[in-house]
Amino acid sequence: MAVAGVLILAAPIDAQAARSGAKAEVVRGVEERAKLAQMINDQLFSYSELGFQEHETARHLTALLEKEGFSIARNVAGLPTAWTASWTNGAGGPVIAIGSDVDGIPKASQMPGIPWRQPIVEGAPGHGEGHNSGQAVNIVAALAVKEWMVRTKMPGTLLIWPGIAEELLGGKAYFVREGVFKDVDVVLFSHVASTLATAWGQPNGTGLVSVEYLFKGESAHAAHAPWRGRSALDGVMAMANGWEMWREHLRTEQRSHYVISDGGDQPNVVPPEAKIWFYLREQSFDAIAKMLERADKVADGAANMTDTTVSRRVLGAAAIQHFNRPLAQAAYANMVAVGMPKWDNDDQAFARTVQANIDAPVKAGLATKLAPLGPPPEEPKSAGSDDIGDVSWQAPTITIRYPASIPGVPAHNWAAAIAMATPIAHKGVVTGAKVMAMTMIDVLTRPKLLVDAKTYFRDVQTKDQHYVPILTQDDAPAIWMNGETMMRYKPELAKRYYDPERYETYLEQLGVTWPTLGTGPAKSQ
């Protein structure tokens, strides 16, 4: 019995030691691929592609992964820029889906490493959310783990996938509807941040439906015989006003906003067509559905008031998010082990310069401590939305946030692009890749973690609430969006695509000295 007892105790110790060795090996694998991480990061930054138009990004990443032995599926879920890259070792083993967003922000073009406003191409899109960096995290981590799996004959499947048109909430719900995650065991998602962090449960935030209403009337000469027309723009404005009447009677947690996406052609023509585009946000599946139902009623009322007709189309959707506790705890332990990047004096000086120039609420430079892993908020606050929510209801899911941005910069803004092709981003990406790779090792080598993750998913997350898709089978992805914008700016952007064969970094190609400090030409005069 004593011998048996020793053996029983020794097995977990041996397994833990083997796991520690595996993690050390994949961390070395990430470090050996730091140059590749920088190249992917800088290449995608230079493409600056908007949602649904991530063609260069897709070509670059799929070509790279195909060379590394991954099987590529293209045009996934009816999205021309969507793809998956799958690699399987042996038979059986967990299926790990590794994802990150890839699209940019309109009018956010910005010279990296310049701490004041200076577009690369005036008016062009840019990576003002840092989505150029996540696939660098994922691919480098996956390649390091793949190498270890081959050496150790560890069975399992790695499935790398992109978040298409995340800024329009236009991709992941279609991936879900297509069944991309049907056989997936866990989803490890990465997203840029200013520190290492993860979370479990329902975080602050909302789900949403993105919906556009098309009003149709009859054109007429606006001065000669306006009574012969029926203004579709009147219908749009009546709907906007009608929605404002409802705000007082909606929950304070809701968020709803709109733009008139088509107001007509010119003032002297009564608009025969006009469109209004809404984001309707709430904190439960039921509440989102009720908001959409209310918006439909307001649209119908507006059409009746103005003697026009109205139809609607869903442009995107995002479910509420719920993240997996056992996976988050495993990832956080790896964050503690890896620690924050070792920022040098140049990194900190640059970050503080940016913070001062944009009057950021934080002016202490780059973060040096991890964000704590605490329980989810008892009453989640209203905030933004992310269609990773849809994925989180298909399989145990977490988001690994990595420190590639500067604290205090506004999201969806040119200032958030400043650091995203600099040593700050490069160090943050490598740090995130280490955590991602170590967490993949946990999933592959800790059967109990997989059991616990699925138990939480079944007995906690989906015990009383199941996924309620917002999309119907008739809804199609809005792949035409951003097409004209990219056609306008792509020729100039293409002249500045990163060329890694000639330049060590994108900063070098652009002639930017690191670190560039100061307030810029306008403020120094």
Side-chain angles (χ1 to χ4, degrees):
M1 293 294 292
V3 173
V6 170
L7 290 175
I8 290 170
L9 290 173
I13 294 173
D14 290 344
Q16 185 175 354
R19 190 177 308 114
S20 297
K23 289 183 178 182
E25 182 174 334
V26 297
V27 164
R28 288 194 298 272
V30 168
E31 291 172 343
E32 290 167 359
R33 293 170 174 84
K35 176 60 181 174
L36 175 61
Q38 173 263 312
M39 290 169 61
I40 296 172
N41 180 87
D42 288 10
Q43 194 75 62
L44 269 56
F45 184 95
S46 72
Y47 291 152
S48 297
E49 293 176 304
L50 293 173
F52 295 118
Q53 307 302 321
E54 308 98 329
H55 296 285
E56 298 298 333
T57 297
R59 276 191 284 268
H60 180 76
L61 296 179
T62 54
L64 187 161
L65 288 164
E66 209 159 25
K67 288 180 182 178
E68 293 289 347
F70 283 75
S71 298
I72 307 299
R74 295 178 171 85
N75 301 312
V76 173
L79 296 157
T81 58
W83 49 271
T84 61
S86 179
W87 177 82
T88 298
N89 199 47
V95 178
I96 306 174
I98 312 116
S100 196
D101 301 321
V102 293
D103 56 329
I105 299 290
K107 296 181 174 62
S109 178
Q110 172 63 29
M111 288 282 284
I114 298 296
W116 54 82
R117 184 67 167 122
Q118 185 174 324
I120 298 175
V121 175
E122 187 69 44
H127 274 290
E129 179 72 3
H131 285 175
N132 61 297
S133 59
Q135 290 295 339
V137 169
N138 294 356
I139 290 172
V140 165
L143 294 181
V145 171
K146 175 177 176 283
E147 183 178 53
W148 171 82
M149 291 174 69
V150 170
R151 187 185 67 76
T152 60
K153 298 182 173 58
M154 175 62 68
T157 296
L158 307 181
L159 178 70
I160 303 175
W161 58 279
I164 297 300
E166 187 276 332
E167 300 300 349
L168 296 170
L169 292 312
K172 297 186 189 74
Y174 289 98
F175 271 52
V176 168
R177 193 178 71 179
E178 189 74 7
V180 171
F181 306 100
K182 180 180 178 182
D183 299 318
V184 165
D185 289 296
V186 301
V187 178
L188 304 179
F189 195 72
S190 65
H191 197 282
V192 63
S194 57
T195 187
L196 277 173
T198 192
W200 60 273
Q202 182 176 343
N204 293 328
T206 54
L208 73 70
V209 57
S210 168
V211 56
E212 187 175 56
Y213 292 87
L214 169 62
F215 287 80
K216 290 188 175 182
E218 186 67 41
S219 66
H221 194 297
H224 181 67
W227 51 86
R228 298 184 66 179
R230 289 175 288 115
S231 173
L233 180 58
D234 286 349
V236 161
M237 295 176 68
M239 182 178 184
N241 288 328
W243 189 258
E244 295 304 329
M245 298 302 100
W246 263 104
R247 282 193 190 275
E248 179 183 0
H249 310 291
L250 298 173
R251 286 181 1 117
T252 55
E253 292 82 3
Q254 71 83 32
R255 296 290 185 271
S256 52
H257 16 265
Y258 53 82
V259 295
I260 296 175
S261 46
D262 180 2
D265 298 304
Q266 58 191 59
N268 64 335
V269 178
V270 173
E273 291 189 3
K275 301 172 189 174
I276 185 167
W277 178 17
F278 279 81
Y279 272 13
L280 305 173
R281 307 182 194 251
E282 252 289 3
Q283 293 187 299
S284 71
F285 290 105
D286 183 58
I288 296 167
K290 287 181 178 178
M291 283 189 80
L292 180 57
E293 181 182 355
R294 172 55 57 190
D296 286 346
K297 289 181 178 178
V298 173
D300 289 339
N304 287 332
M305 289 170 59
T306 56
D307 196 19
T308 57
T309 62
V310 65
S311 60
R312 72 164 167 88
R313 58 184 176 188
V314 171
L315 300 181
I320 56 173
Q321 303 167 52
H322 194 116
F323 296 120
N324 191 267
R325 184 175 186 175
L327 287 179
Q329 291 171 331
Y332 191 76
N334 294 325
M335 292 177 183
V336 172
V338 171
M340 290 290 286
K342 292 179 172 57
W343 310 119
D344 61 26
N345 291 336
D346 288 345
D347 302 330
Q348 290 287 13
F350 182 78
R352 286 191 291 269
T353 299
V354 171
Q355 290 167 339
N357 286 353
I358 66 171
D359 194 24
V362 178
K363 295 186 173 65
L366 298 167
T368 57
K369 295 181 180 179
L370 278 66
L373 177 64
E378 292 185 10
E379 296 183 4
K381 296 179 180 179
S382 186
S385 312
D386 192 317
D387 51 0
I388 190 61
D390 293 82
V391 180
S392 74
W393 292 92
Q394 314 310 309
T397 300
I398 58 168
T399 295
I400 292 172
R401 300 187 181 275
Y402 53 92
S405 189
I406 296 172
V409 297
H412 293 186
N413 185 272
W414 60 268
I418 289 176
M420 291 313 305
T422 72
I424 293 171
H426 302 155
K427 293 175 183 179
V429 162
V430 169
T431 296
K434 291 178 181 179
V435 174
M436 179 66 75
M438 293 169 70
T439 306
M440 292 163 67
I441 292 294
D442 281 323
V443 174
L444 290 165
T445 63
R446 291 173 56 189
K448 188 176 185 302
L449 173 61
L450 201 53
V451 170
D452 290 347
K454 292 185 176 184
T455 299
Y456 178 92
F457 183 78
R458 181 188 65 244
D459 295 345
V460 178
Q461 179 179 344
T462 61
K463 179 182 178 181
D464 299 315
Q465 175 66 67
H466 293 278
Y467 179 62
V468 181
I470 296 171
L471 298 181
T472 70
Q473 288 300 319
D474 295 328
D475 292 319
I479 59 176
W480 68 88
M481 296 186 75
N482 291 323
E484 291 183 5
T485 300
M486 287 308 304
M487 286 181 61
R488 184 182 314 128
Y489 291 109
K490 189 170 183 175
E492 287 302 312
L493 289 169
K495 296 175 184 178
R496 298 162 176 84
Y497 286 168
Y498 176 44
D499 184 354
E501 294 184 1
R502 295 182 59 192
Y503 301 98
E504 189 71 16
T505 67
Y506 196 41
L507 288 187
E508 180 186 346
Q509 179 171 329
L510 295 174
V512 176
T513 300
W514 180 259
T516 296
L517 306 177
T519 58
K523 289 189 177 182
S524 62
Q525 292 176 352

